[in-house]
Structures are given as C-alpha cells and as structure tokens.
Amino acid sequence: MPSEQKLERAFDCIVTDTDPKDRRLRRVDLTPRARPVAQELRTIARDMREETLAGIGSDRHEQRIDLLLRIKANMLVAEPVTPSGKRAPARKSR
C-alpha cells in the first residue's frame, strides 16, 4: 500500500485522487481536518526560523544557503562511520 494511502486511512489528513487529465498522476490534498494542523506547523516553522536566524542579516542569506549546500555535499560523499569509529558498509547508490 503506498504511503499516501496509509496516511489517508490512518490519520484522515490527506485525500488522493487521480488527475482527470492525466490518469498516471495522483493529486494529493489536505483534508479539512488537517488544514488547521498544517497551518500550525507552518507557524511553528516560521517562528523557529525567526528564532534561529535572529541577528543574522538578510544580506547573509545566500552565504548561509551556500554553506548549508556545501555541508550537505560533504556529508553525501563522506564515508559512513559506526558509533565505534569503524567504517560502516558502503551505502548503495540510489
């Protein structure tokens, strides 16, 4: 069972429908029950962003993004290490 169907059944938070113009596509939308929760999550995310970026000027926004992208790239190519410090088995490429 696809994960969107699990969400749909378990939490009544999304509805899925086949796109009438292209039957290969599935449309996903929030249910009325989930909309207030999603709005609250957006509010929490906005507040967290404001708190964590307090004192950092918007002129440094691109620099922050560049640094985070560089960190992500480094992490993607780093060799995995177990908590004991030994090399973990190689990851399968996607």
Side-chain angles (χ1 to χ4, degrees):
M1 174 183 308
S3 55
E4 73 270 2
Q5 287 178 348
K6 290 178 186 175
L7 280 171
E8 193 171 14
R9 289 184 181 164
F11 302 109
D12 187 33
C13 61
I14 64 167
V15 290
T16 59
D17 191 16
T18 305
D19 188 303
K21 294 179 183 175
D22 187 343
R23 309 278 307 156
R24 298 171 296 173
L25 300 177
R26 300 277 299 163
R27 296 187 303 188
V28 179
D29 197 10
L30 295 174
T31 63
R33 176 180 172 198
R35 285 193 176 95
V37 174
Q39 182 57 45
E40 180 66 17
L41 290 173
R42 282 191 286 275
T43 300
I44 291 168
R46 184 199 66 228
D47 292 347
M48 286 181 63
R49 233 181 350 268
E50 288 174 3
E51 288 175 24
T52 58
L53 299 176
I56 301 172
S58 60
D59 57 323
R60 304 196 91 184
H61 179 70
E62 279 216 27
Q63 184 180 12
R64 287 191 306 259
I65 298 298
D66 290 342
L67 287 170
L68 289 170
L69 289 173
R70 184 69 206 152
I71 291 168
K72 178 183 175 183
N74 290 343
M75 291 175 74
L76 289 172
V77 298
E79 287 189 37
V81 177
T82 66
S84 65
K86 298 187 186 222
R87 287 197 172 132
R91 291 182 268 184
K92 294 180 182 177
S93 58
R94 294 180 180 184

